[in-house]
Amino acid sequence: MKSNPAALVITVVIAALALGAGLIIGYLLRKPEGQEARSGIHGELTPVKLLRSTTENETLKECSDLMDNPDIKNYLTKARMNACRAATCNVELPRNYVVYHLDTDTIVIDGNLNEKAWRDVGWTESFVDVRGENFPAPRFETRVKMRWDDSNLYVGAYIQEFAVWANRTLHDTTIYQDNSFQVLFDTEQSNHKYKEISINALGTVADIMLTRPYMDDGEPLSFWESDVLRAIQIDGPINDPRRRNQHWTVEMSLPFKQLFAGVTRENEMPKDKEIWRTNFVRSEWQTEIVGGQYHKRLDLDADWWVWQSPGVANIHLPDRWGLIQFRNASVNSTSFQPDNKWVVTNALLEVYRAEKAYKAVNGRYTDNKTLLQLPPYIFSQRCIRDLGIELDWGGFRITAKSAEKSLQDGHTRTDRYVWFGDQKEQF
């Protein structure tokens, strides 16, 4: 009977594969070099410890020579801060600003920030890169001031700029495609129904209300109108490369009636010590001169500079904005004072973010809080009396009970909405 060459080849290939598989398995099951094994109770191999003992004392002794290492110093500082916050409930605040009420002074909206009402109050901190202070500092200075009366919030901004230009002239268009200044307000600190007003150096405005952040399937409602009164002052011409500019200023008057649109409130103006989530944003494009005109460089992305960095390149995260506090007190007589909801609000947002991070890895949410990466103050019992997580068809609902028993329970849910007590969102 003749041998089949094809069958012979297949047999040789299978034998070679089997031999190779055997060698690989044998290599993987080999006893590590220098390791001896002994039989356990059930005859299994019990590995012998090869590493040095790692008790706490010995680990600290081995580490003592490395205490000057910057990374270890940083880790130790963070650990001490977390331990202190768990004991004191002194939870870190973002950037904040006290907005003082106008008593006898008035503000005329003309773009001039030299009036007494403006001179009496200080500036915010300078803007930073949207991603954080560890990223390159902005090329130009940007700062903001605020005042208020019984009807309006006043915003004044100083914007350093060597080439002042703008193109967009139509209301509610993409103003951020020019160099622009933006204000964002979440009057209820709920992360929903927040307002955004953008303006360029021509004074063209786009104003929208966001139902919720874009990441949470938010919708921009462009029919909302801020009714903003505004004025621009430029230290020279606009759109003229023949003369180098130094800065432009923005002055705004924003009616509270419009800023409170879509939410239910007891008062038509802020109460003394009331706190809002707020951020200020600047989009900055690099230009080149072509044919005697400024042209935006399309080969470069815009720089985004902000008052309070959210830590990522996304300005639509209201839970990571700064805080402003309204005071009906003498100018510069007080400092920012967090309210008794701050610790609970911050804890709710910590758990919210931890749930999102958990799902990103595991594909689902969890109601087991011990599986979440959370700071110690949430579990210390000094700050948060109890924390509950319920899962439902829409995701999760988190409830935090303050150690201060008189405070209503705080809640948040999958779409980032935050509320206290039985408050219901108005649609």
Side-chain angles (χ1 to χ4, degrees), residues 9-244:
V9 171
I10 292 173
T11 302
V12 171
V13 171
I14 292 174
L17 290 174
L19 177 61
L23 290 172
I24 291 171
I25 293 171
Y27 177 81
L28 294 174
L29 295 178
R30 79 194 191 287
K31 181 167 62 178
E33 212 175 285
Q35 176 176 320
E36 296 181 7
R38 62 176 184 268
S39 179
I41 295 176
H42 301 291
E44 72 275 13
L45 294 177
T46 305
V48 176
K49 189 177 278 185
L50 295 178
L51 300 175
R52 291 174 294 176
S53 174
T54 54
T55 63
E56 288 185 12
N57 289 337
E58 290 178 338
T59 299
L60 291 173
K61 184 178 179 181
E62 293 170 3
C63 186
S64 60
D65 294 337
L66 301 173
M67 288 302 177
D68 290 333
N69 181 287
D71 289 333
I72 291 181
K73 281 185 174 181
N74 188 37
Y75 296 145
L76 289 174
T77 299
K78 288 182 178 178
R80 283 196 294 267
M81 287 300 297
N82 279 331
C84 288
R85 286 175 181 142
T88 64
C89 306
N90 187 11
V91 178
E92 184 179 13
L93 289 166
R95 285 183 166 185
N96 49 77
Y97 185 91
V98 177
V99 187
Y100 287 100
H101 190 271
L102 289 166
D103 292 326
T104 57
D105 294 327
T106 59
I107 290 177
V108 177
I109 304 300
D110 57 6
N112 180 8
L113 303 183
N114 293 325
E115 296 163 290
K116 182 177 183 300
W118 288 125
R119 295 198 311 269
D120 285 347
V121 296
W123 294 99
T124 62
E125 301 92 334
S126 298
F127 283 22
V128 297
D129 188 282
V130 66
R131 297 164 294 178
E133 295 185 9
N134 292 329
F135 287 83
R139 300 185 303 280
F140 301 122
E141 180 79 6
T142 316
R143 294 172 295 172
V144 177
K145 292 183 177 185
M146 284 166 280
R147 300 297 300 267
W148 68 293
D149 59 24
D150 291 353
S151 302
N152 303 289
L153 173 62
Y154 298 92
V155 177
Y158 169 85
I159 302 166
Q160 184 186 33
E161 183 75 77
F162 295 158
V164 179
W165 63 275
N167 293 322
R168 280 158 176 75
T169 57
L170 295 179
H171 179 65
D172 277 351
T173 53
T174 53
I175 304 299
Y176 61 87
Q177 291 291 341
D178 286 346
N179 287 353
S180 67
F181 173 72
Q182 302 177 29
V183 296
L184 299 109
F185 298 111
D186 179 3
T187 62
E188 308 305 302
Q189 298 188 65
S190 69
N191 302 315
H192 285 203
K193 308 266 181 70
Y194 65 89
K195 317 304 191 297
E196 175 189 336
I197 302 108
S198 305
I199 189 168
N200 65 11
L202 290 171
T204 310
V205 166
D207 40 19
I208 57 174
M209 175 167 61
L210 276 295
T211 57
R212 59 177 70 99
Y214 287 114
M215 285 184 66
D216 301 303
D217 299 323
E219 294 288 339
L221 304 179
S222 59
F223 61 77
W224 175 77
E225 295 295 335
S226 63
D227 291 349
V228 57
L229 295 179
R230 73 277 189 188
I232 305 291
Q233 275 207 5
I234 306 170
D235 72 326
I238 186 172
N239 294 328
D240 187 353
R242 293 173 297 179
R243 177 179 168 185
R244 175 179 164 124

Side-chain angles (χ1 to χ4, degrees), residues 295-324:
H295 284 255
K296 183 169 68 174
R297 289 190 56 178
L298 301 179
D299 59 325
L300 298 174
D301 292 331
D303 291 307
W304 291 90
W305 303 329
V306 297
W307 174 46
Q308 170 64 45
S309 166
V312 293
N314 183 352
I315 64 172
H316 287 280
L317 296 174
D319 53 301
R320 298 188 180 192
W321 295 347
L323 300 170
I324 62 172

